[in-house]
Amino acid sequence: MRAVPPTDTGSPAPAHAQYSYPAFGFSMADRLEMEQAVALQGEKVRKLKQEKAGSEQIAEEVAKLLELKARLGPEDGKQKFVLKTPKGTRDYNPKQMAIREKVFDTIIKCFKRHGAETIDTPVFELKETLTGKYGEDSKLIYDLKDQGGELLSLRYDLTVPFARYLAMNKITNIKRYHIAKVYRRDNPAMTRGRYREFYQCDFDIAGQYDPMIPDAECLKIVHEILSELELGEFTIKVNDRRILDGMFAVCGVPDCKFRTICSSVDKLDKTPWEDVKNEMVGEKGLAPEAADLIGEYVQNHGTLELIEQLLKDPKLSQNKQALEGLNDMKLLFQYLELFGVKDKISFDLSLARGLDYYTGIIYEAVLIQNQGAPQQQNDHAEESVSVGSVSGGGRYDGLVGMFDPKGRKVPCVGVSIGIERIFSIMEQKAEASEAKIRTTGTQVLVAAAQKKLLEERMKLISELWNAGIKAEMLYKKNPKLLNQLQYCEETGIPLVAIIGEQELKDGVVKLRVVDTREEIDVARQNLVEEIQKRTKNP
């Protein structure tokens, strides 16, 4: 809004409206309003800090405050440069990265335990590669500006690039994992681990195999990872696109509306049935009686008993697709029992997963909030476990064929671990426990007890590095011994290798255990072995 000119009657405009801020395009009145918004947001941040809310929630509100300040600008009208990360992204400090590395390590070990190899693909793809693969979510794809004849988009997930990779290289079977960043133009909810830039951890099995064997292994992998990370109680919901499509058919949904109705059903984990029904009927034009019939099915969940019940259903049992899906689901539960994970699996007819490329089994792992858990002094603890799905996946037998010039299909099934949501939970747990998190793997600090021993420290640390020992020393010629010991306590380094004039004469190194302050003399030639033994580093 620009400055208001004087009226025709000669009466001047209000004093505050006669001056505008041309660099920012708003008047004094707008500026006052903006300043008030900044003050309110600042108060909100202060209140969250006083209440000791979670660090991610505070960071999100601080980012909003900085954005408001950037829009306001300084009073002299000059643009002020504000240091902040783009909306929906974040930096990670060393403690957060230590937690991430631990999670990645657990996941990668599991993938490798199951015989997977890894690949990588470009962070951006041709736009046409991604178009039409994600249903209603296609609007969340980041398109890049034309950089010389190719229309490009940032990858939305790792599954479509994997299918393109298989088709392009004519690969018909592979078991692979891929950990990389993907991008979605979504509304971020950073306290719940929802970002615009985030990692995905995918495991996929491509190839023609007997029904449900690779599918069962994918579910076993999800079970192993979530159990090892100790995130709490979880359930893995399973369904099948063929059962869904058969259900839609017998309920009277037109073929052309299958995918869009599927997208509505997919919201049932967050939205009441009545709201989902209103969307189907009011926004998507589905007949009310068809929606009511869908409602009778999608509110069911159970195990083998439900599958047996549906196999006898007079309508579903007459639909070829649904019958195939139900028989495969029955077989899947038999395999899951052999793998010892059936107790965590729930056959859930409301599970739809909105992506267009799924053709068979679909699944999603969700954490179960413990209602009986004692509440913290603020409500942040409850929010920290209400993070929704932490893993999802399914079978997509037709996706590779979309890229193959001859339409040759390569059956695929896979799972994606919701790593950012897992990170959010792990970070909040670490914050609540106040446990010290080590950000390095240093086993020993090489220290000197007297002055003028820099050369000897450098010789010793070089010997340790050459032997594969993780070692550090302070970057001072003559550091005080007390400062060296304090550095170990602050950083969690478990051992100190101390050299002095007497140790050099005797050919030994004084090895100090930081926690217990125990000290022993170790022959120099035995030092590496002793450090390895005491730090359990083979």
Side-chain angles (χ1 to χ4, degrees):
M1 176 174 160
R2 298 291 179 183
V4 180
T7 60
D8 292 338
T9 60
S11 58
H16 69 257
Q18 288 188 38
Y19 181 74
S20 69
Y21 285 74
F24 300 97
F26 50 75
S27 70
M28 177 72 86
D30 293 330
R31 184 175 183 84
L32 290 171
E33 191 177 326
M34 189 77 75
E35 284 173 350
Q36 190 176 9
V38 168
L40 287 170
Q41 185 64 21
E43 185 58 38
K44 186 175 183 180
V45 169
R46 279 190 291 277
K47 191 175 178 185
L48 285 171
K49 287 180 178 177
Q50 285 170 0
E51 293 172 350
K52 295 185 178 177
S55 57
E56 286 189 19
Q57 188 181 4
I58 292 171
E60 191 171 345
E61 296 304 328
V62 167
K64 290 177 185 176
L65 178 61
L66 291 172
E67 196 172 334
L68 284 170
K69 284 183 176 180
R71 285 166 57 195
L72 178 64
E75 289 202 19
D76 59 10
K78 291 179 183 175
Q79 182 72 50
K80 187 179 178 183
F81 183 67
V82 178
L83 288 171
K84 63 183 285 293
T85 59
K87 186 178 180 183
T89 65
R90 60 177 287 198
D91 293 321
Y92 295 89
N93 64 39
K95 285 185 179 179
Q96 291 165 332
M97 286 304 298
I99 294 168
R100 290 170 79 88
E101 284 178 1
K102 183 183 175 185
V103 175
F104 277 139
D105 186 53
T106 300
I107 292 169
I108 290 169
K109 278 181 180 173
C110 180
F111 289 163
K112 287 185 173 180
R113 188 160 63 239
H114 286 263
E117 50 197 345
T118 190
I119 67 165
D120 197 12
T121 62
V123 74
F124 47 81
E125 295 274 351
L126 294 175
K127 185 177 178 179
E128 63 192 43
T129 299
L130 306 183
T131 302
K133 311 299 187 304
Y134 303 107
E136 294 183 5
D137 284 347
S138 290
K139 61 182 181 290
L140 302 180
I141 294 172
Y142 271 108
D143 292 331
L144 303 178
K145 284 188 176 179
D146 186 352
Q147 296 293 333
E150 288 188 329
L151 295 177
L152 307 172
S153 299
L154 293 177
R155 61 186 173 203
Y156 177 89
D157 67 3
L158 300 178
T159 307
V160 171
F162 174 55
R164 188 267 307 153
Y165 171 84
L166 294 181
M168 195 173 91
N169 293 285
K170 296 181 172 57
I171 296 169
T172 55
N173 61 76
I174 186 174
K175 187 191 291 186
R176 83 87 172 88
Y177 74 89
H178 189 186
I179 298 177
K181 285 184 175 180
V182 299
Y183 300 84
R184 296 186 184 178
R185 220 170 36 148
D186 206 347
N187 286 322
M190 294 172 74
T191 55
R192 291 171 178 265
R194 189 166 156 190
Y195 302 92
R196 288 182 168 180
E197 176 195 61
F198 57 96
Y199 274 100
Q200 278 194 338
C201 299
D202 282 18
F203 174 97
D204 294 82
I205 301 171
Q208 191 74 51
Y209 302 108
D210 289 335
M212 294 295 112
I213 300 174
D215 310 62
E217 184 172 3
C218 286
L219 290 168
K220 169 70 171 162
I221 284 168
V222 175
H223 188 281
E224 285 179 18
I225 289 170
L226 296 183
S227 299
E228 284 178 47
L229 291 174
E230 298 179 338
L231 298 170
E233 286 297 309
F234 62 89
T235 293
I236 305 171
K237 301 177 184 179
V238 296
N239 199 1
D240 194 297
R241 269 292 173 84
R242 293 167 296 175
I243 299 172
L244 275 171
D245 287 352
M247 177 184 73
F248 292 151
V250 301
C251 290
V253 178
D255 289 0
C256 62
K257 290 188 184 289
F258 275 20
R259 291 287 77 90
T260 186
I261 296 303
C262 189
S263 181
S264 294
V265 170
D266 196 38
K267 297 173 183 175
L268 275 170
D269 61 333
K270 303 180 188 76
T271 310
W273 164 248
E274 283 305 316
D275 292 347
V276 171
K277 179 186 171 182
N278 290 339
E279 180 181 290
M280 289 178 178
V281 176
E283 295 177 28
K284 300 187 175 179
L286 186 67
E289 53 272 22
D292 287 335
L293 286 171
I294 291 171
E296 290 176 18
Y297 284 110
V298 297
Q299 294 179 74
N300 286 314
H301 57 88
T303 53
L304 264 174
E305 292 75 19
L306 178 59
I307 298 168
E308 296 286 5
Q309 180 187 321
L310 293 172
L311 280 167
K312 296 171 186 171
D313 185 279
K315 294 177 185 174
L316 272 185
S317 60
Q318 299 305 307
N319 182 279
K320 186 184 174 185
Q321 267 193 306
L323 199 58
E324 283 178 5
L326 286 166
N327 282 321
D328 277 352
M329 188 65 70
K330 185 176 177 181
L331 183 61
L332 176 70
F333 267 80
Q334 291 170 8
Y335 293 154
L336 294 173
E337 187 165 13
L338 294 171
F339 279 154
V341 299
K342 198 182 82 167
D343 60 316
K344 295 287 188 184
I345 312 293
S346 170
F347 175 39
D348 192 326
L349 282 165
S350 72
L351 180 65
R353 295 195 64 77
L355 299 178
D356 277 4
Y357 51 65
Y358 288 123
T359 57
I361 184 175
I362 49 177
Y363 35 83
E364 187 168 273
V366 293
L367 294 183
I368 302 168
Q369 186 175 340
N370 183 2
Q371 300 293 341
Q375 288 296 308
Q376 303 292 326
Q377 288 184 337
N378 56 50
D379 293 333
H380 188 66
E382 184 174 340
E383 185 181 3
S384 71
V385 293
S386 304
V387 293
S389 166
V390 289
S391 178
R395 178 160 286 282
Y396 51 102
D397 289 349
L399 189 56
V400 178
M402 290 184 184
F403 297 113
D404 190 280
K406 296 181 181 177
R408 287 170 294 207
K409 292 184 178 181
V410 177
C412 298
V413 64
V415 63
S416 184
I417 306 298
I419 198 75
E420 300 295 346
R421 286 177 171 176
I422 290 172
F423 287 149
S424 290
I425 298 163
M426 299 286 278
E427 283 175 20
Q428 287 159 6
K429 277 190 169 186
E431 204 174 285
S433 72
E434 296 181 357
K436 197 167 188 177
I437 297 168
R438 286 201 64 192
T439 57
T440 72
T442 306
Q443 296 164 267
V444 63
L445 180 83
V446 175
Q450 288 114 17
K451 293 182 178 180
K452 298 182 180 178
L453 290 175
L454 174 62
E455 289 181 8
E456 295 299 333
R457 283 192 293 143
M458 294 179 88
K459 284 178 190 174
L460 179 56
I461 199 168
S462 185
E463 288 174 22
L464 295 176
W465 285 337
N466 291 342
I469 297 293
K470 301 180 184 78
E472 288 185 57
M473 69 177 196
L474 297 193
Y475 302 130
K476 282 183 173 285
K477 281 188 176 181
N478 300 305
K480 292 179 180 177
L481 183 58
L482 181 62
N483 291 347
Q484 295 170 90
L485 297 177
Q486 282 178 340
Y487 178 77
C488 290
E489 288 183 2
E490 288 165 7
T491 57
I493 298 173
L495 300 174
V496 192
I498 304 170
I499 49 175
E501 290 174 3
Q502 190 61 47
E503 284 78 16
L504 290 169
K505 281 179 189 174
D506 296 344
V508 298
V509 175
K510 194 177 291 295
L511 196 63
R512 179 184 172 106
V513 180
V514 176
D515 282 346
T516 63
R517 301 185 180 181
E518 172 200 356
E519 290 184 350
I520 57 165
D521 286 339
V522 181
R524 189 139 174 170
Q525 66 268 25
N526 298 332
L527 182 61
V528 169
E529 185 184 345
E530 188 66 28
I531 291 169
Q532 286 174 335
K533 186 173 74 176
R534 287 179 177 268
T535 54
K536 296 177 183 173
N537 187 42

